[in-house]
Amino acid sequence: MKNFVVGLFGDPESALAAAGSIQTADLGTPELMSPVPMEGVEEVLGEKKSVIKRFSLFGAIFGGISGFLLAAITAVLYAHPTGGRPIITFPPYLIITYELTILFGIVFTVIGFFVSARLPNGLWTAWWKQDENRPYVPEAAVNKFAVSVTCTSNESVQQAEAILRTAGAEEVRDVTEEN
Amino acid sequence: MSFLDRITEGWRKNRKPGYYEDFDYHWAMTIDLDQCSGCGACVTACQAENNLPIVGEDAFTKGREIKWLRIEHYWEGEYPDVKLNVIPMMCQHCDSAPCETVCPVSATYHNQDGLNTQIYNRCIGTRSCAVYCPYEVRYFNYNDHTWESPLDQQLNPDVSVREKGVMEKCTFCIQRIRQAKDNAKDDGRRRVRDGEVQPACVQTCPSKAMVFGDRNDPQSQVSQSLNDPRSYKVLDELNTNSSVVYLKKVEAEG
Amino acid sequence: MHGEPNQLKYTDIHNDVVRSIVETGPNYYIALVTAFALTLICFFFPWFYQLYYGIGAAGMNHPSVWGTYLASFIFWIGLSHSGTLLSCVLHITNSSWRKAMYRSAEAMTLFSLVVAAIMVMVHVGRPWFIHWAAPYPNQMEMWPNFRSPLLFDVMAITTYLTGSTIFIYMGSIPDFAAVRDRTRGWRNTMYSLMSLGWRGTDTEWHRLHWAYTFLAVLIIPLAVSVHSIVSWDFAMSIVPALHQTIFAPYFVVGAIYSGTAGIVTVMFVLRKFMDFGQYITELHFDNLGKLLLVLSLLWTYINVVEVFTGFYSGASGETEALNYRLFGFYAPLYWEMITFCAIAPLLCAFKSFRTSFVPMLVLSIAINIGMYTERFLIVATSLSRQYLPDAWGLYVPSAVEISILLGTFALFTTLFLLFVKVFPSVSMYEVKETMESPKKSPPAASEGSPA
Amino acid sequence: MPNIDRRDFIKLVGAGGVGVGAGVVLRESIKHPKEHLIPHVLAPEDYSSGVATWYNSVCSMCSAGCGISVRTREGRAKKIEGNPSHAVNQGGLCAVGQAGLQVLYNPDRLTGPLLQSANRGSDGFTQITWEDGLTRVASRLDVLRAAGRGNRIALLTRGVGGHLAELLESFAEGVGTDQLHHYDYDHPHALYAANERFFGKQHLPYYDLSNTRHLLSFGADYLAGWLSPVHHSLGFANSRHGGDNRGYFVQIEPRMSPSGAAADEWVPAKPGTEGILALGLAHHIVASGHYEGEDINEWKDVLSAYTLEKVAEETDVSESVLRRLAESFANASPSLAIGGDGAGNNSNGVDTLVAINALNYLAGNVGEVGGVIFNPDPAGATSHSRQANYQTLAQLAESARAGEIDVLILNDVNPVFTMPLASEFKAALAQIPFIVSLSSFIDETSALADVILPSHTYLESWGDAFPEQGVGFSIGAVSQPVIAPLYNTKATGDIVLDLARRIGKPMRWDSTEDCIKDGWNKIYQESDSNTRTESFESFWTALLKAGVWGKKNHLKTDTSRPNANTIASIGVDAPTFSGDAELYPFVLQPYRSGMHDGRAANLPWIQELPDAMTSVVYGSWVEINPKTAKDLGLTEGDLVDIESVEGAVRAPILVYPAIRPDVIAMPIGQGHTNYGRYASNRGANPLEILSPLVDDNSGNVASNATRVKIVATGKHVEIVKTGGKSRDLGRDIVQTTGGDDHTAQTNSIPITVIPT
């Protein structure tokens, strides 16, 4: 059995404070949901690191190498002399290299984003539906700031609810997983 | 030879710009401007040989004539000390052709005879080659051209007819070169003899101002003509390295 | 119906944006049908005729083999430049005033690029074979020529289109999620699909921020390269007055310039017709006006340099081409361009001008007319005055070309009208970000109070 | 629901639009199911091109008689090239010669006999059978012949040379008429007259440009239209670079022709004063002691009036130029003076050409290599004695008006186009009860015919040619059919033979081929029995294969002198012009451009060939001096009426840098009213407004002697031309080198006249 206790706050400060309290109370790291990026999350919940930059770097390097090889190898394969230039010409191929560096950098950044943000949600099921494993409150997309606590027992549910209410939650919702 | 050696060798070879000397033939033409009278026989001969369309008056008005070879006129001075200089202008078959590099689909490139070739059915019609050509000798098919029956019976079966959206230009009568090579092969000769192949313009020139031949052969008429002290290339400052060489007009004193 | 911007609440933004998507009045349909009909009549039908007849339907000739189609291509590529590029730059420099307008600006980029890509199809002689310019394995012994500036273009524009699409999409994911919850039926399905199950968690926001920043970092040099490469289509040739080292920066500056002016136009339209007056304010016009002023001075500087060095060279071809541009057949267009792009924007030096909406609209349109003229002149004056005077010509666009040129605007408008019904045309979450976040307050005023 | 309607509308329009677009794209992409990506430009290795068959023949586009080789594939002529072994053109061929294929394949060619069933000059032609057509003509001829009134039959043919001329003679004799006229607009009547007077010879001499070191050309556009342009081009090139030192070419003419452009010096003398100029030079040569003949005193007498001072005044050429020209002409050896249409078609034309002959004589060029060489008598018949000049045709018209002509047979001749309107030739034709045309096309003259019996083109029929202007020795060539007749037409000779049979006067030949063969048999029999082939048949085969025959029978140097009377007759009057100089301030020079005398105007290749000097295509123009244009406030494209006493033609102005301010020039060839789709209703025909001012010595119209005025119409048209700006703006496109350092000639390609 897994319960998600979600507290809705009207302002970000209260929500952050609540999240800090939850973490201090050893109820696990809560998940915050907000309509805008919240500032100060890392001070409260600890630093976040993402792998996106590695994806970007790899993509750029991969793109650069494949760009040059695409131009150079195929030019040797289809050797069409033009303009008295060498078959493998640096200046033009550098441009191809440059463009593909950026193209693959972009594509891999996106892949990195999907991987690290675990999107799309529920990739292997019907991913456009809401994943039951991830609680969601629609208000959080409008003007509410939500703190979601994952609880494994009834005690922790009550404890979490109490902390959230104390912190000034306008509403506390209990989302229970089916299985 | 190890794989690495093969790569390095291929690299060296393909990084070398001056590979044109290795060509079997290196066709070139000289035009003696002191002999050219600008009569235009070459223009019509070219039209007859290469299936150039009859474009009609309207196309001329719009500036869309197709003349692979044209005569340019340059007046000098004012009456009564006035002179007219004429110069036949056709594809110069540059060895460093600006038009070749710009084609995105490789529809124009240098073939093994040192010719600048235009592959009609590979052309997608960006017309950039015509922009890049400083000699303005590339002509675009702005629409499909037809020949009123029975004028079509004159069409040369060895030359394809170009459709709309395709660039075309002088080929040095590549079909004649091809024929000459075939003949040479049939006769058991390894090479085409000097003078055996002449483009239509050279063939018809009433004042024999044009000479065509293989530049690789130092004995050929064209090679000798290229050494003429009067020889020059039009727009040589652009480093196009053209294969058509003109001999200067002589200004004699009476 | 709304108060001053600083009195706005998160819910107001939300409601306004969602309303702009789901509530569709008859005016919208009239606009869409008109735009679409104009697209068909002015753009597609003439183009189909041209496909049937050949490029001869246009006014191009020997030696002016390039014409308005290519000018339009550069124009639209240029227009695309301010959207994503500006958005990226402002994102990285943390300029908050960007946030209300960047979504539409990026959409402009995207659709300008689409129109530009279509212009390539219109431009080439045999568009049915245009895929030959793509490097795909085939049995025809055919491969594109990577040495060609035109192929650089293909690569650059493909990359730019991909990058811009991804950029605008990434930035919209939170907004799709927000709209998803407020819609029903097919819209809900669509937004569910597009939002990828976004929930707005702290981790998601964090990843989005970094991914978005990396994209911005990658796209800035890309955008610069795109217009540089477009300029090389000309500058790599040896045509007098085209073979210029200054062309790449000239084109990049011109592109940003025309794109910024384009943004002003779009901002005005959105403000007027989408009731976004609270979000797109005098502040934006003020800032854009300053930007326009800077760009116009840069642009003027480059123009002066070009003319100066050209005349100083004394080379026959160069001087003749410049002479022709300044005093020849097309001279009225040249001076029109100078008036619109170099002189008129000086008005932006006055704050009162910058913050007046209608004058700014007029100026922005004038600048873009001038910038179109610039592209046209680059093509028309240079090609008709090349090395061999006896091959000089004259190029005047045909009715088909002019119709297609007008049609591109209709096409762009159609695409933009469709966009505003699909994308939240103002970035909700970022506008919310710019506002004071709700403050902790007594329960009676729990929805937050103005600062 | 209104929404649905809107949507449906959008959908329908959208689907329609996309459908059309997709259809077009689809059509284009499937049009060539086999897009071989490597076309003939780089043919696949296993591709072999077809084998062409070449036939040697003779070009009949003008009277120069160049040898041609016609390339045929699958029974169709594909390309005409010059026959390299023909001494006249040596492989070269002019644009009109190249375009001969379009005579053959012209879409406007007549495909079978026609009968005019409505009014003359209307389009009321109906198809008839050959039997019908021939019977109609033969019955007419038969009646007249039987009644002994054969002289009421007139034959007017284009200049036909060789044995076909004999055939026509024989036919004329058979029907009993002496009204057989050959008519070519450009036939140099004045030149024949002048040569007869000065040299006593009825034939053209050979002007050896090839070896001359100094050429004075008085209005002879030898590179583009005069006598034998291709041969002259060869000679020009050879003189420039074939020998040890370069020939110097001077062109004296009021309007620069292509030959003037190619020359080293262009001297714009006043129109009609070429002869005076020549005599001025002669005066200087004699006076300065360059001439030392026994008859020097006679010359001094006759030339005394032509002092350089006076001549300079009359010709508008400075004395110093005259002196320099005279000196260099006398000092160069050999030198050559020629006089062409520009000099000959004046009121003093024959006198002028005689003066030029005198100049050659005084400089010692007569009979010399590089000078004037006399041709041996041609092996076959030539047409000069039958050539009709203006007076002859005017007489014919007179007879027609008087009702003395009952039948007129036209063969490929178009006098209605080339005769001035003032001659009222067209109206005279209307008086002839029955006109037959053997032309391949309907032209202005054939349109007036009652019956048209279309003949083959020269590429489908037999013939031969013995070039009149020659190459200094006897040559001839056989014209053979290179393809089977395209249409239901007959050879001219065969039609005539058939008619002769039908009127009971059969000739001694069965066919044209027979006639030609018979003629050549005679040549064979007369040839040296030691060197000739075994039989006539082998000779004939070899002849057809080579396409040309020649005999190295150069005449010995002619040392004969003109007698005293001839010398005494020398003298050139000031030219007279029709029209008052006040009212009509300009002298009109109609000149032949690429269209020949207008007969090439129906060939699209020629219409699309930019003019050699102005690069104009598809139309007429009026050339005027820039200064004149400025004075009159005219710019290029301004439509003007050119008015003479006789009428007006309308054409646009073309500012021409190289024409005298008091002269305007117009090209001949356009202005057809009825000559097929390519020529009709295009441009203007300047010949129409010429005054019928005749030089009595030649009997021909002085076509350069009409004064005109320019009347602006206020309208403007765009002159269709290919050129842009014809100034090189210091770009050094056509580079030149000084006369002294042209060490080049040794490297140039020598051109040799091949004696066959």
Side-chain angles (χ1 to χ4, degrees), chain C residues 240-241 321 324-325 330 376-386:
Chain C
Y324 188 58
R325 191 174 297 171
Y330 301 104
F376 176 76
L377 288 179
I378 285 173
V379 176
T381 61
S382 313
L383 295 190
S384 51
R385 287 289 179 280
Q386 296 189 39

Side-chain angles (χ1 to χ4, degrees), chain D residues 265-452:
Chain D
E265 189 173 352
W266 173 63
V267 182
K270 267 189 195 166
T273 63
E274 289 87 352
I276 298 170
L277 200 155
L279 291 182
L281 301 182
H283 173 90
H284 183 80
I285 288 171
V286 173
S288 60
H290 287 294
Y291 178 70
E292 292 164 344
E294 293 164 11
D295 47 1
I296 185 160
N297 288 329
E298 290 163 46
W299 283 107
K300 274 187 173 160
D301 286 350
V302 78
L303 296 172
S304 60
Y306 298 91
T307 60
L308 287 187
E309 193 184 4
K310 178 176 168 269
V311 169
E313 188 187 321
E314 283 196 38
T315 57
D316 196 19
V317 179
S318 78
E319 233 183 291
S320 59
V321 171
L322 291 175
R323 185 169 297 113
R324 179 165 55 75
L325 288 179
E327 285 290 331
S328 52
F329 185 73
N331 290 332
S333 178
S335 57
L336 174 65
I338 54 177
D341 300 345
N345 292 350
N346 283 306
S347 62
N348 55 8
V350 175
D351 289 341
T352 298
L353 296 177
V354 167
I356 291 163
N357 284 341
L359 193 56
N360 275 325
Y361 171 77
L362 291 173
N365 302 332
V366 177
E368 297 295 327
V369 169
V372 181
I373 299 172
F374 292 98
N375 285 311
D377 288 344
T382 60
S383 66
H384 173 66
S385 54
R386 284 290 192 181
Q387 268 287 349
N389 53 27
Y390 178 79
Q391 277 176 337
T392 321
L393 285 192
Q395 254 162 28
L396 183 69
E398 195 50 49
S399 314
R401 272 191 288 271
E404 290 162 6
I405 306 287
D406 282 342
V407 175
L408 175 66
I409 301 176
L410 300 161
N411 174 34
D412 204 7
V413 63
N414 193 4
V416 171
F417 181 78
T418 51
M419 291 285 278
L421 281 185
S423 67
E424 294 182 349
F425 192 81
K426 188 176 173 184
L429 288 188
Q431 305 295 320
I432 299 174
F434 191 69
I435 300 176
V436 189
S437 171
L438 309 185
S439 178
S440 307
F441 296 92
I442 294 184
D443 53 26
E444 285 79 358
T445 312
S446 295
L448 303 172
D450 299 289
V451 173
I452 302 181

Side-chain angles (χ1 to χ4, degrees), chain B residues 19 58-59 61-65 70-74 89 98-108 119-144 163-167 234-235 237-238 240, chain C residues 50-67 69 122-130 132-134 140-151 154 232-239 242 383 386-391 394:
Chain B
Y19 43 79
D58 195 38
T61 317
K62 290 179 175 159
R64 292 183 187 156
E65 70 274 11
R70 63 169 189 264
I71 310 280
E72 294 212 333
H73 299 80
Y74 294 104
M89 187 54 66
C99 61
E100 287 172 359
T101 42
V102 75
C103 181
V105 290
S106 287
T108 178
I119 302 175
Y120 309 125
N121 48 11
R122 189 176 280 195
C123 177
I124 60 171
T126 68
R127 311 190 283 290
S128 36
C129 48
V131 171
Y132 276 49
C133 173
Y135 303 97
E136 306 293 328
V137 287
R138 290 179 153 269
Y139 291 87
F140 187 68
N141 282 278
Y142 285 95
N143 46 272
D144 277 328
E163 73 157 355
K164 71 183 174 203
V166 168
M167 192 62 74
V234 171
L235 302 180
E237 67 272 21
L238 299 176
T240 51
Chain C
Q50 180 180 295
L51 286 172
Y52 169 78
Y53 178 79
I55 291 292
M60 283 165 272
N61 57 30
H62 179 88
S64 301
V65 290
W66 283 350
Y69 297 149
V122 178
H123 170 76
V124 301
R126 303 206 295 176
W128 45 96
F129 291 134
I130 199 151
W132 289 351
M140 297 183 285
E141 283 196 33
M142 216 183 62
W143 199 252
N145 173 14
F146 284 110
R147 266 157 274 172
S148 159
L150 271 76
L151 208 79
V154 173
W232 292 337
D233 286 354
F234 300 96
M236 295 295 187
S237 76
I238 46 179
V239 177
L242 287 188
L383 295 190
Q386 296 189 39
Y387 288 103
L388 302 179
D390 203 36
L394 185 66

Side-chain angles (χ1 to χ4, degrees), chain A residues 19-38:
Chain A
S21 311
I22 295 282
Q23 199 171 25
T24 325
D26 227 11
L27 288 168
T29 307
E31 219 173 15
L32 289 160
M33 285 181 273
S34 57
V36 294
M38 286 166 74

Side-chain angles (χ1 to χ4, degrees), chain B residues 34 56-57 67 73 75 77 109 121 148 153-155 158 164 174 176 204 208 230 232 249 251, chain D residues 28 36 41 71 76 78 81 98 240-241 246 608 612 677 682 726-727 733 735 737 739 744:
Chain B
D34 206 29
E57 186 178 2
K67 298 260 180 258
H73 299 80
W75 289 96
Y109 74 102
N121 48 11
E148 281 190 64
Q153 296 192 17
Q154 179 273 327
L155 293 179
D158 293 337
K164 71 183 174 203
I174 196 165
R176 294 185 176 212
T204 204
K208 302 275 180 262
R230 286 190 295 133
Y232 79 101
K249 191 173 175 175
E251 281 187 340
Chain D
E28 295 301 341
H36 300 295
V41 170
R71 175 173 185 258
R76 285 290 173 265
K78 298 292 181 188
E81 296 189 347
Q98 292 278 352
R240 280 217 155 157
H241 290 299
R246 182 172 177 278
E608 298 208 339
R677 65 197 73 182
R682 195 184 284 292
S726 297
R727 294 277 174 177
I733 292 153
Q735 297 186 8
T737 177

